[in-house]
Amino acid sequence: MKTDEGSTLVSTPVSASQPRVIRYIVNNVAAAGEAAFPEAVPGEVLRPIGEDRDSYRAFSYDIHRRDRDAAIVLVSPTREGVYVVSPTELQNTLIGLANVVRVLPGSNTYEMADELGRRMSAWNGAVNVLSIPSPTGAVRSRLFLADDIQAWGEHPQRISRLLAWVTVTTNVPRLREHVRPEGVRLLSTRRRMEQRRAAAIKMKEAEGRQALIEASRQAEEEQERAFEGFAEENEDLLNELSRLEDELLDTQEELRNNNFQLRSVKSQLSAMGTEQRGDFDPAPLLRLVARKGQPSPLECLDIIEQYHRDKCTVLDSARRSARKSPFINGCELLDLLIRLVTSYRAGLLDGGDANARRAFGKNEYAAKESESVMTSPALRRYRTFDYDGAQVEMFRHLKVGIADDPTQTIRVHFHWDGIRRKIVIGYCGEHLRVASR
């Protein structure tokens, strides 16, 4: 269905909504035991992902499948397991337009980013709209952060905005499938020419009949060439429009991400005390924001110590290990370190380790080592570091990755100094030795 507006004078803001006839059809099909939608209808089933790494791999295949003719809306929960947009209600609204996929609470979103790429992922309550693949196979994404979605208003307004963004990705492909005016005119011309040809064949005079046939043939060819040219030109314009829209959205997304990071830096700087702000050098953090690519483990430690020097201490042993580490997922490490010196530290001050560990997800934090390590003096020494003139064992650690590949795996061992109320980071590097190796 397509509408042409006769005026740009709109008295109230336009709000996207699902036509009531769609909900009428869906409800009646659901109520009729002998009726069902075919599998090709998108959005009829709400799909979950995140139970394991294989679910992300299967989802990645669906994203890049060239014959996919529906958008995908990826909905993630917040760290508390709450969705800022109801996946079920969103799925009911987008049936026929898009497939809604929800990330299960407690899922390892770093594995998702590793399998799908950060551009195709969503975490911490964000929603990502993935377009229908273009003729070249490219998939466009539009990520909305949880704070942005909540700023849209109440839940109906959030659903409406997401519906509007989905139609941005589906309108042009659907338009190409419509019965368009130029196609109707071309078919009409062909039928008139066929009628004239049939009338000419019945003529008695052979010469006149042949002349009429030739004239109709030439007219038909000219009309067909003209309309084919119009259709081809229209298709080229639509493809060019789609390409320019892709470039515009990519540029807007990059600017939005840069602005978000700069706003985050400014808000963190403004939250610092006057005394601390005077000693703080924002240059490393600003360089990190401006630079594309992942920060190194040593850069992550530098940023944490520069910004949170009143909450943490980074030992020389941590710097030496970080300098040697080939770990490549620096953004993931930086996120863990920020939570370590903010949410986790606040939890320690408020109620101890049992309360503090809520700052981390599954498989991100361990309060102690395995029994084989704890009972081995040699292995314990690997986890002992010089702090304030004393040898301190640091069994608490953060974890990224479980493989032997040091580019994908890193461990951060730390100690809680309750007297100074500081996190002391003693090690940041490859997985330390255990009994099995």
Side-chain angles (χ1 to χ4, degrees), residues 46-50 56 59 63 71-77 83 85 87 90 94 98-104 109 112-113 116-123 125-130 141-144 149 162 166:
L46 179 61
R47 175 180 176 181
I49 63 167
Y56 298 132
F59 182 50
I63 291 175
I72 295 175
V73 180
L74 183 62
V75 185
S76 68
Y83 296 93
V85 176
L90 188 60
L94 296 179
N99 290 304
V100 179
V101 179
R102 72 182 184 100
V103 181
L104 295 173
T109 55
M112 174 170 58
L116 306 180
R118 296 178 67 87
R119 194 171 65 87
M120 300 296 174
S121 303
W123 57 91
V127 176
N128 203 347
V129 179
L130 309 178
S141 66
R142 183 67 168 86
L143 181 69
F144 300 98
I149 297 174
L162 290 174
V166 167

Side-chain angles (χ1 to χ4, degrees), residues 135-180:
T136 62
V139 177
R140 195 171 65 241
S141 66
R142 183 67 168 86
L143 181 69
F144 300 98
L145 301 178
D147 291 343
D148 295 335
I149 297 174
Q150 291 171 335
W152 293 344
E154 299 299 323
H155 195 261
Q157 284 75 33
R158 301 174 192 177
I159 295 289
S160 176
R161 288 290 292 272
L162 290 174
L163 172 60
W165 273 101
V166 167
T167 58
V168 168
T169 73
T170 59
N171 277 350
V172 171
R174 293 290 180 266
L175 181 62
R176 293 170 181 165
E177 299 172 358
H178 286 171
V179 177
R180 290 179 284 182

